[in-house]
Amino acid sequence: MDSLILMDNEVHQGFETLAIHAGQEPDPTTGAVVPPIYQVSTYKQDGIGGLRGGYEYSRSANPTRTALEVCLAEVEGGTRGLAFASGLAAEDTLLRTVCKPGDHVIIPDDAYGGTYRLFAKVAEPWGVAFDPVPLGDVDAVRAAVRPETKLIWVETPTNPLLGVADIAALAAVAHDAGALLVVDNTFASPYLQRPLTLGADVVVHSTTKYIGGHSDVVGGALIVADADLGERLTYHQNAMGAVAGPFDAWLTLRGIKTLGVRMDRHCSNAEKVVEMLTRHPAVREVLYPGLPEHPGHEVAAKQMRKFGGMVSFRMKSEEAAVAVCERTRLFILGESLGGVESLIEHPGRMTHASAAGSPLEVPADLVRLSVGIEDIDDLLRDLEQALA
Ligand SMILES: Cc1ncc(COP(=O)(O)O)c(C=O)c1O
């Protein structure tokens, strides 16, 4: 099957080279240098079962999606990549492949609200118990493990409080317990952090974010190191059917090509925004793993190339936080993150409203920025006027 053919790693080693070429050989028929959008549901068979290139029906496999899946596997250092209709579709497929009723999962006490909702409103009624635990505290994670724990689910950095978890240490805890370590790598992207190389078993992405990078497509991905797990997930991907369509796969693949250069700019802009916010009298606290006083700074410096484009900060009241969100002119008030354009939001009332009243409820005075790649002076001016 084409999705198992990875690159010749003697020629293709560097991140950007893989991002631009992995899974994307020029089209053998036309020479087109970009994989075409195979907008097709079914494929002619040369006699019953005589498949050309392994394709029979686009839920099972589609050449544009294959190109994306190979590229995702390569940039994360895995053996198998799988592309889904959304990040949550990827999460749900993983959960229902690895867990069954009676199992237990450890989740972060700070995570994307939709991930929490999946565990609380879908997985738990199905019979999978879960415990939110502060993942920065490895002993607390070890203490929360039960005989029926199947997954330790990590976000690092977390959404929206930018907490950091030590991937290698948690991989050891998971493996001692016979569980898998899952890392949601959406905030870092594979350019900044490659969890499989640190011992994680599964990487999850909302490719909607930095990987797609242009706020024009919703998608998700799973990448695994172990070939057998890859086979089981591929079976469930087809059996459950929440696959990425060809055009979405093509847009995502187009986004990946520039991930490295975009991330460099996201990071350098974010560092300057953090510098300004930490000095601003209206701001109570800035949350960014690049700050030396951040409790996860050392771990982040060890496992990340740079500290990312997401910045959260606390104002002195909820009203002040809401006012800043409504006063920016360049930072667009909106959910999501990771696109080229800067976004601002109030997690308590927007992305994390579904966690209200739960252990994952976020502070009401919190503001989250997705720092884009616009001119930094324009971004700083906009924030200054919104904070004034
Ligand atoms: C960290 C994280 N994981 C997963 C998701 C879910 O992804 P999607 O919205 O593509 O379903 C999101 C969405 O915001 C997210 O921020």
Side-chain angles (χ1 to χ4, degrees):
M1 186 66 235
D2 286 3
S3 58
L4 290 177
I5 300 169
L6 301 183
M7 301 297 288
D8 171 354
N9 283 337
E10 295 214 337
V11 182
H12 302 89
Q13 289 183 341
F15 182 88
E16 289 86 347
T17 309
L18 289 171
I20 293 167
H21 294 289
Q24 304 164 74
E25 292 297 313
D27 183 65
T29 327
T30 63
V33 298
V34 171
I37 305 167
Y38 284 91
Q39 194 66 45
V40 64
S41 60
T42 192
Y43 305 80
K44 172 176 166 30
Q45 303 193 7
D46 297 327
I48 294 172
L51 307 179
R52 302 177 187 183
Y55 297 100
E56 59 182 352
Y57 184 61
S58 282
R59 170 163 38 72
S60 316
N62 169 281
T64 316
R65 197 175 92 221
T66 300
L68 171 61
E69 290 178 333
V70 171
C71 188
L72 287 166
E74 287 285 357
V75 294
E76 282 287 5
T79 61
R80 175 79 75 151
L82 301 107
F84 293 87
S86 70
L88 279 171
E91 293 183 19
D92 184 37
T93 304
L94 172 61
L95 197 61
R96 287 202 271 161
T97 302
V98 176
C99 296
K100 59 181 186 327
D103 288 342
H104 171 250
V105 175
I106 293 173
I107 67 163
D109 70 348
D110 172 37
Y112 169 56
T115 297
Y116 175 73
R117 186 175 53 205
L118 178 70
F119 282 102
K121 304 291 183 198
V122 180
E124 195 173 57
W126 181 52
V128 172
F130 71 94
D131 276 315
V133 176
L135 298 188
D137 181 348
V138 176
D139 292 333
V141 177
R142 197 177 287 110
V145 168
R146 301 186 201 164
E148 57 276 19
T149 303
K150 285 291 182 319
L151 294 177
I152 298 180
W153 190 285
V154 173
E155 250 184 55
T156 184
T158 56
N159 181 4
L161 295 174
L162 295 161
V164 170
D166 186 331
I167 296 171
L170 292 177
V173 174
H175 298 157
D176 282 350
L180 298 180
L181 189 80
V182 177
V183 176
D184 183 332
N185 204 26
T186 298
F187 265 36
S189 90
Y191 179 68
L192 298 183
Q193 173 175 281
R194 301 210 310 161
L196 298 180
T197 66
L198 299 166
D201 301 287
V202 185
V203 166
V204 175
H205 277 286
S206 168
T207 56
T208 314
K209 312 297 175 353
Y210 286 107
I211 287 181
H214 296 78
S215 305
D216 53 11
V217 60
V218 171
L222 298 175
I223 303 103
V224 293
D226 179 68
D228 287 344
L229 180 58
E231 284 299 330
R232 283 164 60 207
L233 287 166
T234 303
Y235 183 86
H236 275 80
Q237 180 193 37
N238 180 48
M240 293 170 67
V243 295
F247 185 46
D248 287 358
W250 186 88
L251 280 171
T252 306
L253 198 53
R254 176 177 155 127
I256 281 194
K257 287 175 192 281
T258 56
L259 181 63
V261 289
R262 283 188 285 107
M263 288 314 293
D264 279 337
R265 181 65 170 263
H266 281 295
C267 292
S268 67
N269 277 359
E271 282 164 21
K272 291 182 183 118
V273 164
V274 166
E275 218 176 278
M276 184 276 271
L277 290 174
T278 46
R279 278 188 280 103
H280 202 287
V283 174
R284 188 149 74 86
E285 187 187 4
V286 181
L287 310 174
Y288 186 66
L291 287 169
E293 62 269 28
H294 185 287
H297 177 67
E298 261 178 48
V299 172
K302 187 178 70 173
Q303 66 190 19
M304 297 176 76
R305 190 198 292 245
K306 295 179 183 177
F307 300 103
M310 298 301 296
V311 177
S312 292
F313 59 98
R314 297 183 69 175
M315 297 292 289
K316 290 177 183 162
S317 66
E318 178 172 11
E319 295 67 41
V322 168
V324 174
C325 292
E326 291 180 344
R327 272 206 300 258
T328 54
R329 303 213 303 255
L330 185 52
F331 277 81
I332 298 167
L333 177 62
E335 304 204 353
S336 201
L337 59 111
V340 291
E341 61 289 295
S342 293
L343 299 176
I344 190 166
E345 68 124 359
H346 184 268
R349 295 191 187 181
M350 297 170 67
T351 48
H352 290 67
S354 62
S358 82
L360 278 80
E361 181 166 326
V362 296
D365 55 15
L366 189 74
V367 176
R368 191 189 75 180
L369 301 177
S370 172
V371 180
I373 63 171
E374 300 95 334
D375 185 294
I376 185 60
D377 292 332
D378 292 334
L379 293 178
L380 294 176
R381 239 191 327 272
D382 188 37
L383 288 173
E384 296 270 15
Q385 68 78 27
L387 286 161

